[in-house]
Amino acid sequence: MSLDVRLAAIRRATVDLVAPLSAEDACVQSMPDASPAKWHLAHTAWFFETVVLETLIPRYQSSFANFRMLFNSYYNGIGPQFRRAQRGVLTRPTLADVLAYRETIDVALQRALNAGVPASIADLIELGIEHEQQHQELLLMDIKHLFSCNPLAPRYRAPRVPGAHTSAPLSWIKHNGGLREFGAEATGFAFDNERPRHRAFVAPFALANRVITNAEYCEFVDSGGYRAPQWWLADGWHGVQTEGWAHPEYWRRQDEKWSEFTLAGTVPLDPAAPVCHVNYYEADAYARWADARLPTEYEWELAAEPVAISGNFVESGCLHPHAADAVTDNSQALQLFGDVWEWTSSAYAPYPGFRPLCGAAAEYNGKFMSNQLVLRGGACVTPASHIRASYRNFFYPHQRWQFSGIRLARDCR
Amino acid sequence: MSLDVRLAAIRRATVDLVAPLSAEDACVQSMPDASPAKWHLAHTAWFFETVVLETLIPRYQSSFANFRMLFNSYYNGIGPQFRRAQRGVLTRPTLADVLAYRETIDVALQRALNAGVPASIADLIELGIEHEQQHQELLLMDIKHLFSCNPLAPRYRAPRVPGAHTSAPLSWIKHNGGLREFGAEATGFAFDNERPRHRAFVAPFALANRVITNAEYCEFVDSGGYRAPQWWLADGWHGVQTEGWAHPEYWRRQDEKWSEFTLAGTVPLDPAAPVCHVNYYEADAYARWADARLPTEYEWELAAEPVAISGNFVESGCLHPHAADAVTDNSQALQLFGDVWEWTSSAYAPYPGFRPLCGAAAEYNGKFMSNQLVLRGGACVTPASHIRASYRNFFYPHQRWQFSGIRLARDCR
Amino acid sequence: MSLDVRLAAIRRATVDLVAPLSAEDACVQSMPDASPAKWHLAHTAWFFETVVLETLIPRYQSSFANFRMLFNSYYNGIGPQFRRAQRGVLTRPTLADVLAYRETIDVALQRALNAGVPASIADLIELGIEHEQQHQELLLMDIKHLFSCNPLAPRYRAPRVPGAHTSAPLSWIKHNGGLREFGAEATGFAFDNERPRHRAFVAPFALANRVITNAEYCEFVDSGGYRAPQWWLADGWHGVQTEGWAHPEYWRRQDEKWSEFTLAGTVPLDPAAPVCHVNYYEADAYARWADARLPTEYEWELAAEPVAISGNFVESGCLHPHAADAVTDNSQALQLFGDVWEWTSSAYAPYPGFRPLCGAAAEYNGKFMSNQLVLRGGACVTPASHIRASYRNFFYPHQRWQFSGIRLARDCR
Amino acid sequence: MSLDVRLAAIRRATVDLVAPLSAEDACVQSMPDASPAKWHLAHTAWFFETVVLETLIPRYQSSFANFRMLFNSYYNGIGPQFRRAQRGVLTRPTLADVLAYRETIDVALQRALNAGVPASIADLIELGIEHEQQHQELLLMDIKHLFSCNPLAPRYRAPRVPGAHTSAPLSWIKHNGGLREFGAEATGFAFDNERPRHRAFVAPFALANRVITNAEYCEFVDSGGYRAPQWWLADGWHGVQTEGWAHPEYWRRQDEKWSEFTLAGTVPLDPAAPVCHVNYYEADAYARWADARLPTEYEWELAAEPVAISGNFVESGCLHPHAADAVTDNSQALQLFGDVWEWTSSAYAPYPGFRPLCGAAAEYNGKFMSNQLVLRGGACVTPASHIRASYRNFFYPHQRWQFSGIRLARDCR
């Protein structure tokens, strides 16, 4: 697909995601970590305007000068930013204004592409496309959180019946490890944090064939896992006591049964579906309780690199993880891509030889490389074309509103 | 005006106040003290439904059962309440849903009134009308705060040119005081906190003929008033240091001049207009700096009781305080009603012999009688028919988003 | 007693209070509201040095220049202050250093008194004496709080058997009220906040003959008083929910029985003794539950003015409130002085015509006249010579570490 | 040295560290991260009692039953713990009581050693010795912090003149890296977090020959390093803005010159001495500003493993880092051990195949393996016999009260 066609498709997809929302839904911010849907719409246009159009067009004059500050997320190199925790007070510009802003930027981008752009600009547009896909996922995470705060439990869209309701049995796939290469090759699109490709040594290990199910996680909960400090990292146990974590973020207890809030409203908890919206501490505690551990990001990548990218992505329309179909071949890794982001035990850190992007984009990834952990593989709200085996997502260990789940690993001796 | 006509007019007025707002504007909560406009619309209907219809109609069944919790403000006697600080996450019910809810309640109320209601129910409807007027003012305060947080400085409505741009000179009106009666008479509508009428002794005092202007308050600011602890109560000085108070809430410094954010957007500060949106600590510090003090609520009431109620109320459409026209008679008290609420030094406490209302309405006023101070006289966002000489408004000493100003008093010996 | 003798006695009494403490006990600060015993020792010397000696002696040079800042409590007029919440980190100067500082100041004061001082200086010494007595009480409050935080429940001193273990029955004493005079006369020592003497009108009322006992308060607790919002002011109910108030500060539940932490360690709760260490919200909620109310400070003073000052003060050595002996005359008010400070419903505010002291002492009382409530009558840790019928103590409504109790009042019609 | 002799020496050393302190100094806690010196004395005895004596002696009965909870730091497996942030309120037991406790435990340990103990118990005593050495360093860190909060700037001990006042010039030492082994061998004492020895691949790199000096760090400060977001990790920049970091923890600005608070009081900043008490964000920002980076812990260990352990440790009595003497051989790495702990960019995580210790000691290290970073090499407050090339210390990235400094690294291509 040519760049202009891809650009148009991605831009349209973002607007389509907002279609089920009222202007009210699109405006509100339910917590500082989340942003309003309208803000995502505006910020992704802002990114194209500020990073692409300002670079391309000499003496570029925006018709939306106020937006430079309002929709700057965190780029100190570009200028001051409107306070993150206050994004929800921006009832103006209205949703209609923001959609008009997007159109203006889209017209300018397509005009530029028609006229032909140098490769460096094409690369920035590529970056803008991937950036927009990240915000598509964030938009769905944020709407889910917003709706979850409402006792009316609104639906973002009608439920779609998932395929399997039973899950493949858990089995372990051995890997020899060794001195191997990791990270993205030098060519083709990848974020700066996936590069450079480099060598690392991995000891033999075994990886679970699929992610942990709700039924399996229920056993941990029912066995008193949230009341037993021995399973928890000290910081996690502190969170259990001060934040009251007692089950995954969106689980609800009704009539002595578990249900789960989803983008299709509250539904009974599917025991065969992957557990989702657990934070790192919960994932780590579950693993310890299960006499296993979380994989490193190298272990995960080693297992995933040979596997074709397919799975339950945003395009399935389900917007919820579903069970891994049983397969005849027990040695086949399931669900590596899609369904849930998989917590790894690897701190989000620069790869050896890491160089950030140039210019404003230098702040894109590098400055967040502390206190966070790497997650791999994409989720049911990730665009399929956005994911790679080398893709490194990252969240703070206490965060739970992303679609995060658990795949176990074990040492192999 | 008959009760049904008055009810209809008041109910319509609330909806009219929302007309300039988008659904987004009406949904967002800009701070825990404020509520969304939509919430005010819903809560005032909820009050009529819960307090009037549930009392009137045996086995009343609401078509909006969910709203009982969502729009309960603070009535523990009625049931649980949705968390105040989270009111802004309620993107559902939508604004349209809430307007429909209002219509349903209005129809039921008018049907009841047409059929005839007992006096006790008429009294509750009267209470609901006054309650709704209070929320009309809150709605304007809250929208002003919301818009003030937006760097685009949106206008709620176009500016209206106020009358005078010069203010009457400040003079002092002496009062003899004595053993006098205060509070509302036993008949006619008044809130429970205005009763019973009772005696209190007031020493001779002098009261300023008008409220303090922006020009006068500017002198305090320019003289370093916010950097001089000697003018401040200890709790106020603490606030100056931790909250960074350095001028009234909505003053803005632009190009070395003061401007002011209003419901008509940001305008140059009018030196002759009353200073507005100061908290109790600021009012008290100003008074001390000016070698005066704030009046007690008895002093204020003693001065106001003989004065006819007229002034700059919400009906003027200005929604901003304006200068007191000079008058020939220097002994005439100006601006006692309208323009700005006037801070008194009186703690909000029960009058001797105070009895709260019965039933759910018992929580209406009494339980707030700690840590707050009384303000008197109404403001430019208060409905004219809502105010009385005995009316007691109340806010915490640190609060500034209400239309509050300063009238000085002095001992007289 | 001559001023020098009184001064010496008061100064010695403070040092005597510290005798049971180790240097460690005297150094630690258990919460921001409390101060270390060593700090009280130093600050009371600092007060004499800064307020008296600096005024008296031209070009006074302190040998303890560092202390000017370290032991300044809150006098902005004197200079900067060491951060209140950090007083406990001052392990230096040591306790021995501070005792030496006290001696130096004492010598200088006595030398000045021997040489003869003008009346204005004698007045300041008088103020210093009363100031020191206030800190004697604070010292005991603060040590009690410190020891209460220690699971070893240390004793400040051995328990002394209190007199009665039964309490006089509760009865009501009627007062006619009327237009009366309140506050301290213009002559003799009194704090500025007790003046000027002024007139106020008080409606007829009845006052309980004694304060509420532990047994009576137990009924409130056992009846679910801390779980029933209808008894509570809104701010108090908020505290119940966020602070977990469920009984008075120092009550402990052991083996299904109540015991109480005292300065003599943990002892069984004496049902006949006054309930102590309740905050204003608890006192107010109890009163409402008991179908009564708290008295105003005028009502209290009207009842107390004719009564001789005697009671359970610090000199009894009990350091704990004890039961009111039954008396034959039911119309006799008991426990008005000593045992527990009695919460009134009166906001701590300036009396009409209030004028603060001159100079540095201007900050003594006036700047605290917001957000606090008046308590009357002194407690079992108050020096007997320190109390007066016009004495106004004041605390924030949430505070509980002072020896505060409850006397009920009722309207009388 | 035999185990009993070493044990006695280490135990005595801890008590010797407390000798310059008053009982007051030893009791106070200056922040939640720090503990009182008395608490360190008691906790290290508690560790021997709970981990060694309770294991060794059947039906062991403590004479100090209360201490089991009071001096348990964080061992949930052993039982409940007194609240960490409240350790400073424990004025009882007194310092004398705690010293007596230590003696009782020492007697019991020596009696056991005289009678002969099995190897497993000897291992636990070994662990107790190393544990005690860790607390010796913490005690000095905590006292430094406590004294730094006191405007009197007390001295822990008299200053000792350090050797050099000029520092070796900075040079870079190249390392080839490769697939190498890291971590402690299986035999000999090491903490569980240093094991197992395992392979990892390290790319070629260069390491600075010494740590960064105050003069070098001054250039960063003077160039506006703390006002330029481009040097900072996002979380670090947030700290700069909210915590006001503007220089290393103990630097003081006096008369336009830098001085530094040390355990010998406030002294002029030595330009040639290592910068100390910087947090990870500062170390990382400095490195980025200097066009370098921090080393990984593998890089550091690879450089340090062949180097003999010598340097400026606690035994030098200086208790402050000092300049690296110039040496003729520029390729010699200086200051790898002693002076300052060196921040690495490695997250504190389990080594591949990590197994925690058994029993109560399982909580010793493993549960802290999140959100912290590894520091290597020991400092001027570390006992010389305590350090190893494989030793992994760890702190949160915002912490600054440990003696932490900066060694730079660079990629080598």
Side-chain angles (χ1 to χ4, degrees), chain B residues 132-151:
Chain B
E132 182 126 1
Q133 288 184 308
Q134 292 183 306
H135 280 276
Q136 289 168 1
E137 176 162 349
L138 286 166
L139 192 155
L140 290 168
M141 286 160 54
D142 293 352
I143 280 295
K144 184 170 183 177
H145 187 268
L146 172 66
F147 282 4
S148 81
C149 298
N150 192 326

Side-chain angles (χ1 to χ4, degrees), chain C residues 94-106:
Chain C
T94 63
L95 179 54
D97 295 338
V98 164
L99 292 172
Y101 173 49
R102 287 181 65 88
E103 274 198 37
T104 305
I105 301 304
D106 283 344

Side-chain angles (χ1 to χ4, degrees), chain D residues 306-361:
Chain D
V307 174
I309 294 171
S310 82
N312 173 18
F313 290 112
V314 73
E315 289 80 4
S316 80
C318 186
L319 307 185
H320 199 65
H322 54 54
D325 286 302
V327 287
T328 43
D329 177 5
N330 251 353
S331 72
Q332 194 183 324
L334 305 170
Q335 298 176 309
L336 281 165
F337 297 104
D339 281 319
V340 290
W341 288 100
E342 303 179 19
W343 282 110
T344 76
S345 63
S346 296
Y348 180 47
Y351 280 161
F354 169 70
R355 287 288 168 272
L357 294 170
C358 295

Side-chain angles (χ1 to χ4, degrees), chain B residues 366-370 396, chain C residues 229 232-239 241 281:
Chain B
K367 74 179 182 184
F368 300 108
M369 290 179 176
S370 67
Y396 288 95
Chain C
W232 295 81
L233 287 162
D235 290 343
W237 184 240
H238 183 73
Q241 294 177 294
Y281 301 119

Side-chain angles (χ1 to χ4, degrees), chain B residues 11 14-15 17-18 21 25-29 32-48 70-71 73 84 87 95 98-99 101-102 131-143 401:
Chain B
R11 296 282 290 164
T14 311
V15 174
L17 285 177
V18 179
L21 302 179
D25 296 333
C27 186
V28 168
Q29 179 176 34
D33 279 350
S35 296
K38 185 173 70 179
W39 189 91
H40 288 296
L41 287 171
H43 168 69
T44 45
W46 173 96
F47 189 89
F48 279 111
L70 286 184
F71 300 117
S73 51
R84 180 183 178 104
R87 286 175 186 168
L95 178 55
V98 165
L99 292 171
Y101 173 49
R102 287 181 66 89
H131 172 260
E132 182 126 1
Q133 288 184 308
Q134 292 183 306
H135 280 276
Q136 289 168 1
E137 176 162 349
L138 286 166
L139 192 155
L140 290 168
M141 286 160 54
D142 293 352
I143 280 295
W401 96 112

